[in-house]
């Protein structure tokens, strides 16, 4: 017998899984600029997908993970489990259930459509070859997404082992659902967004991550404040102070804009300077703040805190459509990191 239920419209959209983003004519013109920026800055940028983002995610995982003994090295094993996953393995089940969409690469609508295509052609001949031909850019993006799955697979397997012991009354389905949610939320869950936020993210490249980062940090401190502080001080602060101590007397380090200096880890090898990004909100608390305090005490310059304030301001979600951002950057002479586009030295160069 057919039965009918009255539910909230938002819940209906989620249950029916038919919540496509419908943009108006103006938004349709603006949306390609945001998608192109995401594609170039994160989607097919090898240095981001294979080096910088995995480092940031590993540090974030070590603090946010519900595993009591989580380390920054666990995601490496997670990547291995992802690559070697076979049908029935937790990693395989996670991806088959749509877990990839929770990553930064997977959030993009084109990547979501790719997941659907994979499901449709999985039983056809030569599916991998067909995917490469049909989606060359998405295939490249999928390659760079592999390291991003590491923290999620590591959290998934840890939760699946831990919950049956902590909750013996739970069924296998209960354990799977809870572990799946833990895995998607261990860094930033990019599928976690409101109806308005999803539309804003279509025209402003990184609006959603700007909202979900602070939200995740707030929820983490609410759920496990003591563990978060201990892990942050153990995994994040020492490496930041090591980087500062090794470079504090070097002129190139002193010349860096304070906000740029505090937002990265710096290592000098011979004549090469390597810059590694820190986690966003977590990094400000456990890395940027200690470095700024040490830098102020060392230089005796009270203005050192201004760089930290600028860094905090940069964490405020940007609501300006990506289409207009380059014009605003040129007018203000600042890039997205707050660095001058035209430096003082460049102003005195002769025109050619």
């Amino acid at each position: 017998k057919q039965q009918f239920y009255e539910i909230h419209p938002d819940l209906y959209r989620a249950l029916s899984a038919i919540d496509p983003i419908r943009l108006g004519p103006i938004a349709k013109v603006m949306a390609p600029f945001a998608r192109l920026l995401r594609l170039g800055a994160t989607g097919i940028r090898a240095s981001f997908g294979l080096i910088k983002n995995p480092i940031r995610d590993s540090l974030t995982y070590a603090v946010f993970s519900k595993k009591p003994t989580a380390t920054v090295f666990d995601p490496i094993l997670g990547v291995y489990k992802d690559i070697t996953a076979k049908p029935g393995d937790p990693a395989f089940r996670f991806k088959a259930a749509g877990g990839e969409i929770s990553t930064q690469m997977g959030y993009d609508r084109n990547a979501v459509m790719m997941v659907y295509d994979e499901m449709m052609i999985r039983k056809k001949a030569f599916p991998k070859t067909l995917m490469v031909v049909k989606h060359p850019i998405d295939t490249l993006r999928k390659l760079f997404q592999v390291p991003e799955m590491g923290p999620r697979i590591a959290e998934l397997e840890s939760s699946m082992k831990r919950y049956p012991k902590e909750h013996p009354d739970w069924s296998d389905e209960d354990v799977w659902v809870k572990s799946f949610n833990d895995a998607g939320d261990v860094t930033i869950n990019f599928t976690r967004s409101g109806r308005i936020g999803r539309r804003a993210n279509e025209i402003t490249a990184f609006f959603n991550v700007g909202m979900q980062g602070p939200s995740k940090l707030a929820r983490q401190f609410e759920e496990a404040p003591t563990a978060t502080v201990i892990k942050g001080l153990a995994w994040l602060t020492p490496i930041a102070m090591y980087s500062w101590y090794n470079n504090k007397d070097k002129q190139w380090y002193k010349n860096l804009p304070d906000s740029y200096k505090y937002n990265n880890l710096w290592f000098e090898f011979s004549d090469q300077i390597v810059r590694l990004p820190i986690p966003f909100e977590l990094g400000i608390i456990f890395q940027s703040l200690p470095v700024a305090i040490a830098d102020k005490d060392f230089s005796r310059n009270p203005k050192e805190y201004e760089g930290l304030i600028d860094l905090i301001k940069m964490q405020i979600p940007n609501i300006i459509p990506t289409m207009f951002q380059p014009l605003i950057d040129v007018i203000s002479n600042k890039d997205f990191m707050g660095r001058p586009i035209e430096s003082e030295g460049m102003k005195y160069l002769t025109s050619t």
Side-chain angles (χ1 to χ4, degrees):
K1 181 180 178 180
Q2 192 175 31
Q3 295 182 341
F4 296 89
Y5 298 89
E6 182 178 357
I7 59 176
H8 192 279
D10 290 343
L11 179 58
Y12 170 77
R13 280 189 286 265
L15 291 175
S16 59
I18 52 172
D19 188 21
I21 300 177
R22 296 182 176 87
L23 302 176
I26 298 178
K28 286 181 179 179
V29 175
M30 296 180 179
F33 293 90
R35 294 173 188 166
L36 283 173
L37 179 57
R38 282 197 295 267
L39 180 66
T42 62
I44 57 174
R45 187 180 175 188
S47 61
F48 176 85
L50 299 178
I51 301 175
K52 295 180 180 179
N53 197 50
I55 292 174
R56 178 185 285 141
D57 278 354
S58 295
L59 293 172
T60 303
Y61 164 85
V63 178
F64 282 166
S65 175
K66 294 182 179 180
K67 179 182 178 182
T69 58
T71 73
V72 295
F73 307 107
D74 292 348
I76 299 176
L77 181 59
V79 170
Y80 173 77
K81 294 290 185 67
D82 176 31
I83 296 174
T84 61
K86 299 177 182 178
D89 292 345
F92 185 91
R93 293 176 60 194
F94 181 74
K95 293 193 294 183
E100 285 178 308
I101 302 176
S102 65
T103 66
Q104 183 163 352
M105 306 291 187
Y107 179 77
D108 187 81
R109 289 182 66 198
N110 291 330
V112 174
M113 293 308 299
M114 184 180 179
V115 173
Y116 294 156
D117 288 347
E118 280 189 272
M119 295 177 180
M120 295 298 294
I121 69 173
R122 186 170 292 161
K123 295 184 180 180
K124 293 184 178 181
F126 309 109
K128 293 184 179 179
T129 302
L130 180 59
M131 288 303 300
V132 172
V133 174
K134 189 175 180 181
H135 299 287
I137 293 180
D138 282 337
T139 301
L140 183 61
R141 178 165 48 191
K142 192 175 180 67
L143 172 64
F144 297 156
Q145 183 185 2
V146 171
E148 199 172 2
M149 290 293 292
R152 288 168 169 78
I153 299 302
E155 185 71 6
L156 176 75
E157 296 204 342
S158 171
S159 296
M160 291 186 69
K161 294 177 181 177
R162 188 177 68 257
Y163 284 134
K165 299 177 183 178
E166 295 179 356
H167 304 278
D169 57 320
W170 283 11
S171 66
D172 292 342
E173 289 76 13
D174 294 333
V175 171
W176 167 251
V177 170
K178 180 59 175 174
S179 301
F180 183 93
N181 290 334
D182 286 352
D185 202 43
V186 71
T187 55
I188 293 179
N189 187 347
F190 290 88
T191 62
R192 191 177 186 273
S193 60
R195 185 158 52 91
I196 297 176
R198 289 182 61 192
R199 284 159 176 75
N201 198 69
E202 284 296 303
I203 62 175
T204 303
F206 302 107
F207 176 83
N208 188 56
V209 67
M211 295 293 293
Q212 298 308 320
S215 172
K216 171 62 180 175
L217 182 66
R219 287 184 286 117
Q220 183 71 20
F221 271 107
E222 181 180 359
E223 295 172 6
T226 304
T228 302
V229 171
I230 292 175
K231 291 181 178 180
L233 293 175
W235 286 109
L236 304 185
T237 305
I239 190 173
M241 296 307 298
Y242 174 81
S243 170
W244 171 81
Y245 184 80
N246 277 355
N247 300 313
K248 60 183 175 63
D249 295 315
K250 299 173 182 177
Q251 194 59 45
W252 63 263
Y253 185 77
K254 296 178 181 179
N255 292 340
L256 293 172
D258 291 333
S259 59
Y260 187 51
K261 181 195 306 181
Y262 302 152
N263 200 35
N264 297 276
L265 302 173
W266 304 89
F267 302 95
E268 185 175 10
F269 302 97
S270 184
D271 59 342
Q272 296 293 323
I273 298 174
V274 178
R275 176 182 67 88
L276 298 177
I278 65 174
F280 293 109
E281 295 78 18
L282 273 177
I284 290 179
I285 297 174
F286 295 107
Q287 294 181 295
S288 300
L289 179 59
V291 168
I293 293 174
D295 218 25
K296 175 186 176 299
D297 185 65
F298 177 74
S299 64
R300 303 295 181 181
N301 183 4
K303 292 186 177 181
E304 297 290 349
Y305 286 130
E306 293 180 3
L308 184 63
I309 295 174
D310 291 339
L311 190 57
I312 295 174
K313 290 179 180 178
M314 284 191 288
Q315 308 307 311
I316 300 175
N318 184 12
I319 60 174
I320 299 174
T322 303
M323 179 179 179
F324 304 118
Q325 193 61 52
L327 177 62
I328 295 175
D329 289 345
V330 171
I331 294 175
S332 62
N333 193 36
K334 290 184 178 180
D335 64 9
F336 73 101
M337 289 293 297
R339 299 168 298 188
I341 298 174
E342 182 185 35
S343 65
E344 288 298 321
M346 294 172 63
K347 294 179 180 179
Y348 296 98
L349 294 175
T350 56
S351 59
T352 56

